[in-house]
Amino acid sequence: MADLRDRMDLGTWGAFRTGWWVLHVVGIVVVGYIGYWLAKM
């Protein structure tokens, strides 16, 4: 079980974490932009 987890950490899990981090950053930017646009109205 430990070997499988290490393999996931090096491959798929690392890519998933990177994608998840990027998704959060994009989400924060979009929410901030929408909030700014609504406040500007």
Side-chain angles (χ1 to χ4, degrees), residues 18-33:
T18 301
W20 193 246
W21 187 80
V22 170
L23 185 66
H24 272 82
V25 172
V26 172
I28 290 167
V29 171
V30 169
V31 169
Y33 181 76

Side-chain angles (χ1 to χ4, degrees), residues 29-41:
V29 171
V30 169
V31 169
Y33 181 76
I34 291 171
Y36 172 76
W37 183 73
L38 289 173
K40 197 174 178 185
M41 280 178 65

Side-chain angles (χ1 to χ4, degrees), residues 1-20:
M1 188 151 184
D3 292 338
L4 179 62
R5 189 174 177 187
D6 289 340
R7 197 176 304 152
M8 287 180 68
D9 287 342
L10 290 174
T12 307
W13 183 243
F16 176 76
R17 280 179 58 189
T18 301
W20 193 246

